[in-house]
Amino acid sequence: MIKRYNNLSLAIAIPGLIIQIAGRFLIDSGQEALGLVMTLGGTVMLLFGFAYYAKAKGRSPLWCLAGFLSLIGLIILALLKDHSGVNEV
């Protein structure tokens, strides 16, 4: 696994998830417009994080689309075999 891409995936995906959750709370509290923008922005960040994780494993960044499968997609990404040929992590 390529360490640089793995670190980038964590640095982008974790804040993206937090922003997504905060956006959902804003939608529930009555601030729909701001909550929607935050939720969409968090989703984009999360997908970029998943793309970097796929790149860390030597795979195509298009594997980030598995994130749309919710928990099943995350399990698929985690179980992908490492094709990077690098053992940095």
Side-chain angles (χ1 to χ4, degrees):
M1 184 176 291
I2 302 168
K3 186 176 182 176
R4 176 176 170 246
Y5 289 143
N6 190 33
N7 290 339
L8 278 171
S9 73
L10 289 173
I12 295 171
I14 291 174
L17 181 61
I18 293 168
I19 291 170
Q20 239 186 357
I21 292 168
R24 186 65 201 163
F25 278 122
L26 285 175
I27 290 172
D28 291 342
S29 70
Q31 297 181 359
E32 289 87 11
L34 179 60
L36 181 61
V37 169
M38 286 181 66
T39 302
L40 290 175
T43 301
V44 169
M45 288 177 68
L46 200 56
L47 289 175
F48 271 100
F50 293 162
Y52 276 115
Y53 185 74
K55 284 180 73 171
K57 288 194 166 195
R59 301 293 186 131
S60 168
L62 290 176
W63 276 97
C64 74
L65 299 177
F68 284 118
L69 298 174
S70 188
L71 184 58
I72 293 171
L74 293 176
I75 292 170
I76 290 169
L77 281 173
L79 295 177
L80 283 176
K81 290 192 179 201
D82 188 1
H83 285 208
S84 67
V86 178
N87 193 13
E88 292 181 357
V89 177

